[in-house]
Amino acid sequence: MTQVATATITQAMITPFDVQKIREDFPILAQQVNGRPLVYLDNGASAQKPLSVIESMNRYYRTDNANVHRGAHTLGDRATADFEGAREKVRAFLNARESREIIWTKGTTEAINVVASGLAQSLQPGDEILVSHMEHHANIVPWQMAAERSGAVLKVIPLDERGQLLEGAFETLLSSRTKILAITYVSNVLGTINPVREMIAQAKAIGALTLVDAAQALPHFNVDVQQLNCDFLAFSSHKLFGPTGIGVLYGKANCLEALPPYQGGGEMIERVTFAKTTWNELPYKFEAGTPAIAEAVGLGAALDYLNALDRPAIELHEQNLLKRAQLLAREVPGMHLIGTAEQKVPVVSFKIEGLHPSDIGTLLDQQGIAIRTGHHCAMPLMDFFAVPGTARASFAFYNTQEEVEQLFTALQKIQRMCC
Ligand SMILES: Cc1ncc(COP(=O)(O)O)c(C=O)c1O
């Protein structure tokens, strides 16, 4: 019997969620990689797409493809209806008040850049931008650039050793100088879920703007922007079981109205003369050029798919995967988990004494197991934990308890072989 098999399986870990049936919706999962059934545990980097998403884009290109908002012919009207219909699906998914509050971007990165570069024009020297030590580079670098342009100062909320925001630190840093709180809902490396709702309330009480990076939150739980009361929220379609190349910036209408446009060009204008150009209304003011139409359709289909699932059952299933992984991790000699917050999504970052993370990744890949290794675009966080990088297994609802076991059986084998 392997060490893995000795781990206790409690009744609470067995849920009625029919994961095998769900897996049939994801054709990519049913393949062999390096002679073994694929175990895809790199969902934090990019999630797989259900057939309905793939087929929605196929159908769009087969029957409706044309440019949008041109209005001169039937295909153009259909493409516009598909495209604006997808925007409405995003609005409903986030429970935003109006669909003009949904701006299409290339992804989370571009969404944050839209806000940071816009605010850079009004920030003053000495103003403060508050981020946390666990941010992805996408929620650090745009703010550094904004700070450099405006003379504002970047302040960083420190962490504790479990990878949670250090108790009391946020309150200490928040002041009348804070102009924006830009915080990740969920850390891509640690899986930590931050108490963003409470933080937003505190930031708003002193008049600061708030932006939530929801890239790693939405794949695991629903987010209601009205309940959160954030001013801005960003996410990427490809992490949410939709296509690459598209994402969303949500903004309260008044905040978006006050923000200058990000790029100039077609679509974002009302009137152009050589003397002066005026901007289009929301959301088009932020959507210069031909947008990613088929991708919007695909994201709409991904949201339809998610809406049809029992999300509380999914959350329970994912938490059970996480508990199992945390239990099995204790049985791998020399393995240390990085990120052990009380509230976290099923992401397991780790190091194994004597093994480089990239070697772990390569050896797992030989056994058909896909994880991610490296700094995960969170170098300051790597510095905090004094590691060059980590190995990270990030789970989605289509992963199984058996796959968790396969991962840890493989890690035990690698540990025995190499250490
Ligand atoms: C928390 C977080 N924010 C932002 C991003 C950037 O997302 P994208 O590359 O899709 O723009 C990622 C991607 O991993 C992420 O995990």
Side-chain angles (χ1 to χ4, degrees):
M1 196 182 268
T2 64
Q3 273 178 292
V4 164
T6 61
T8 330
I9 304 166
T10 65
Q11 200 54 36
M13 286 179 166
I14 299 162
T15 66
F17 180 71
D18 191 350
V19 64
Q20 290 307 334
K21 197 153 180 353
I22 294 281
R23 289 176 72 83
E24 288 170 15
D25 296 333
F26 292 82
I28 200 169
L29 297 177
Q31 65 174 296
Q32 305 247 318
V33 168
N34 295 324
R36 303 282 185 89
L38 169 65
V39 176
Y40 187 77
L41 304 178
D42 194 17
N43 297 286
S46 202
Q48 300 304 347
K49 325 302 174 200
L51 203 53
S52 59
V53 168
I54 300 165
E55 281 174 352
S56 72
M57 297 174 76
N58 195 327
R59 181 203 57 78
Y60 168 78
Y61 278 126
R62 280 173 175 269
T63 63
D64 294 354
N65 179 53
N67 213 329
V68 291
H69 304 138
R70 305 290 187 265
H73 54 75
T74 302
L75 289 193
D77 290 345
R78 277 196 223 146
T80 303
D82 290 343
F83 179 70
E84 292 302 333
R87 195 192 304 273
E88 171 54 25
K89 287 179 189 181
V90 175
R91 184 211 63 73
F93 190 72
L94 296 177
N95 193 30
R97 277 194 189 84
E98 306 170 65
S99 61
R100 69 190 179 116
E101 296 179 320
I102 305 301
I103 311 295
W104 298 120
T105 64
K106 279 191 294 185
T108 309
T109 304
E110 191 178 57
I112 297 172
N113 273 282
V114 170
V115 180
S117 74
L119 291 182
Q121 297 182 37
S122 55
L123 285 168
Q124 300 295 316
D127 285 350
E128 291 180 0
I129 302 163
L130 198 48
V131 298
S132 83
H133 208 127
M134 68 174 82
E135 302 304 319
H136 186 283
H137 296 162
N139 201 30
I140 299 174
V141 185
W143 299 113
Q144 278 178 327
M145 291 162 72
E148 223 161 81
R149 277 168 64 188
S150 63
V153 182
L154 193 68
K155 293 275 174 175
V156 183
I157 309 166
L159 308 182
D160 66 19
E161 71 289 347
R162 293 180 72 179
Q164 305 169 126
L165 300 177
L166 189 67
E167 213 181 323
F170 166 63
E171 290 77 2
T172 308
L173 284 168
L174 197 64
S175 78
S176 58
R177 288 184 301 278
T178 312
K179 292 294 173 265
I180 177 140
L181 166 69
I183 181 89
T184 194
Y185 206 145
V186 169
S187 158
N188 62 314
V189 178
L190 310 166
T192 308
I193 304 174
N194 287 319
V196 292
R197 193 169 165 187
E198 294 76 9
M199 295 172 80
I200 289 165
Q202 286 171 275
K204 296 210 82 62
I206 54 109
L209 287 169
T210 54
L211 176 141
V212 175
D213 174 349
Q216 298 290 344
L218 287 168
H220 300 291
F221 53 86
N222 286 336
V223 173
D224 179 324
V225 289
Q226 292 192 58
Q227 260 178 24
L228 272 191
N229 198 20
C230 54
D231 297 306
F232 301 102
L233 179 139
F235 76 90
S236 299
S237 154
H238 70 101
K239 295 182 196 288
L240 194 57
F241 315 99
T244 53
I246 192 162
V248 167
L249 169 66
Y250 156 81
K252 282 183 183 163
N254 63 328
C255 297
L256 290 171
E257 299 277 17
L259 204 65
Y262 180 57
Q263 291 185 325
E267 194 73 16
M268 52 76 70
I269 53 85
E270 177 196 51
R271 168 124 181 90
V272 179
T273 66
F274 284 113
K276 185 175 166 58
T277 293
T278 52
W279 315 137
N280 202 343
E281 59 190 11
L282 292 177
Y284 311 113
K285 176 176 125 180
F286 293 101
E287 294 180 358
T290 298
I293 307 165
E295 288 75 9
V297 170
L299 172 56
L303 299 184
D304 289 343
Y305 183 86
L306 283 170
N307 286 334
L309 294 176
D310 179 350
R311 283 208 111 188
I314 283 176
E315 279 179 45
L316 181 60
H317 170 72
E318 291 190 352
Q319 284 301 313
N320 287 338
L321 296 178
L322 176 63
K323 279 187 208 145
R324 186 66 164 272
Q326 288 170 326
L327 206 63
L328 295 177
R330 291 193 213 142
E331 301 188 2
V332 181
M335 180 162 179
H336 301 278
L337 295 182
I338 294 170
T340 53
E342 255 167 63
Q343 302 287 326
K344 61 177 274 170
V345 302
V347 170
V348 180
S349 270
F350 58 92
K351 59 179 182 178
I352 298 178
E353 284 164 25
L355 277 171
H356 195 277
S358 64
D359 293 335
I360 298 174
T362 307
L363 291 165
L364 285 175
D365 182 53
Q366 286 170 7
Q367 302 185 51
I369 302 172
I371 63 155
R372 174 142 181 212
T373 63
H375 56 65
H376 313 290
C377 298
M379 284 183 182
L381 185 58
M382 298 298 113
D383 292 343
F384 175 76
F385 282 104
V387 289
T390 75
R392 181 190 72 182
S394 51
F395 301 91
F397 55 78
Y398 44 62
N399 289 124
T400 66
Q401 293 276 344
E402 292 72 34
E403 289 180 315
V404 178
E405 274 175 32
Q406 281 165 23
L407 168 68
F408 284 93
T409 304
L411 287 173
Q412 294 221 3
K413 208 165 117 189
I414 290 168
Q415 198 278 336
R416 278 198 301 274
M417 206 170 69
C418 303
C419 297

